[in-house]
Amino acid sequence: MTTLIIGGSGFLGAELIRQATAAEQATAATYATRPGDAAHAVWYPLDLRDASRLDAVMSEVSPRLVINASSGGSDWAVTAQAPIRLAMTAARQGVRLVHVSSDAVFSGARVHYDEASLPDPITPYGAAKAAAETGILAVHPEAVVARTSLIIGDGGSVHERLVHELAAGTRDGALFTDDIRCPVHVADLAAALLELASGNDSGVHHVAGPDAVSRHELGILIARRDGLDASRLPAGRRTDSPLPGALDVRLDSRATQRKLSTTLRGARAVLHGAAASGEDVSA
């Protein structure tokens, strides 16, 4: 039986493939533009907007598990409609499904959000993610919807690359001091998703780190870890910018953590405990 990773060429998808193949799971993966580097996965091109192609891939792979780690941004067809179509196919074939969602489904009005919190998105991306969650669980009640936050790693994430570019002066922009999230390491996230997939739980789960940090604070932690001059990182406030988005969104993952043997480490632990201000999500 095969594990199918939708969006396998992405940052999270690549880590899911690495861990699944290390566990000797037969693994297939899809890509939108080009396949990833994992040689042990069987790769399939897939435009999630193409319903017939999705059905063909599912039929050919005949997976026991599908993890949807794709990212379509605010494209409604990819981010909202396609995951529901995937869930319908998985339910029809009796396939276990884990769908990766986002803290963008929340406005930040409440700050702290557990799994019982109702989505109230304020961006097109958040609205698409929220619609996907609702549709998936309506057509495939046994599915897992796993909300996460900023994904970091050992240098390969978009957040880490941004910090390097800002520190080098090769990119304009600023790291917001009032935009607070609960980052998670990609290895912890992938392990938690595979662990949830192997169990019998269904419904919404929060899979994020315990530390609430601003994007600027996260940048400082990354810079210190990587030997960069943190003083070169420009700071700003989202409230002073034209960019839409929630400010303070803290996923409370304690209920899910109690079910997992995987430890979801916080940003400070991951980034070597560098000194930083801020409060724990459980505060």
Side-chain angles (χ1 to χ4, degrees):
M1 298 289 281
T2 301
T3 295
L4 174 62
I5 309 298
I6 305 294
S9 57
F11 184 58
L12 173 58
E15 179 63 19
L16 284 164
I17 293 171
R18 187 192 70 78
Q19 292 192 23
T21 55
E24 300 184 345
Q25 297 179 22
T27 306
T30 72
Y31 63 93
T33 55
R34 61 180 182 274
D37 298 328
H40 297 295
V42 179
W43 290 94
Y44 295 86
L46 175 64
D47 183 336
L48 279 170
R49 296 167 294 187
D50 187 340
S52 61
R53 176 59 184 164
L54 174 60
D55 288 342
V57 170
M58 288 287 287
S59 296
E60 184 172 348
V61 175
S62 189
R64 67 169 182 83
L65 164 67
V66 175
I67 301 180
N68 181 20
S70 63
S71 176
S74 59
D75 187 326
W76 190 266
V78 176
T79 303
Q81 295 174 324
I84 299 172
R85 189 179 302 117
L86 173 63
M88 293 173 66
T89 303
R92 187 170 60 248
Q93 297 182 4
V95 175
R96 178 79 164 154
L97 173 66
V98 174
H99 172 77
V100 181
S101 191
S102 168
D103 57 12
V105 302
F106 297 120
S107 70
R110 287 184 52 184
V111 178
H112 298 273
Y113 294 90
D114 62 17
E115 287 87 347
S117 302
L118 296 179
D120 60 339
I122 58 174
T123 64
Y125 172 66
K129 280 293 193 181
E133 289 185 5
T134 301
I136 288 167
L137 294 177
V139 301
H140 195 345
E142 293 78 25
V144 170
V145 169
R147 294 181 185 135
T148 193
S149 190
L150 306 182
I151 306 174
I152 58 176
D154 299 320
S157 73
V158 294
H159 310 292
E160 290 158 298
R161 291 199 300 270
L162 172 62
V163 168
H164 278 250
E165 291 167 2
L166 289 172
T170 58
R171 179 167 175 168
D172 294 328
L175 297 174
F176 296 136
T177 59
D178 59 348
D179 187 329
I180 297 173
R181 298 293 186 272
C182 295
V184 64
H185 194 281
V186 65
D188 299 346
L189 176 58
L193 294 173
L194 289 167
E195 191 174 343
L196 287 170
S198 67
N200 297 316
D201 283 319
S202 60
V204 176
H205 291 73
H206 285 182
V207 190
D211 293 347
V213 298
S214 71
R215 290 181 186 264
H216 184 258
E217 184 180 347
L218 179 63
I220 291 173
L221 290 169
I222 292 169
R224 289 174 177 171
R225 180 197 66 183
D226 295 347
L228 306 176
D229 184 356
S231 68
R232 293 181 58 85
L233 297 177
R237 297 199 313 161
R238 182 180 284 277
T239 50
D240 297 329
S241 83
L243 296 175
L247 295 179
D248 196 339
V249 177
R250 311 185 189 198
L251 293 185
D252 185 342
S253 302
R254 288 175 294 177
T256 296
Q257 179 65 90
R258 286 193 289 268
K259 301 177 182 179
L260 298 173
S261 61
T262 300
T263 299
L264 299 168
R265 295 170 293 167
R268 298 181 185 93
V270 166
L271 298 169
H272 307 299
S277 62
E279 69 178 79
D280 191 279
V281 69
S282 62

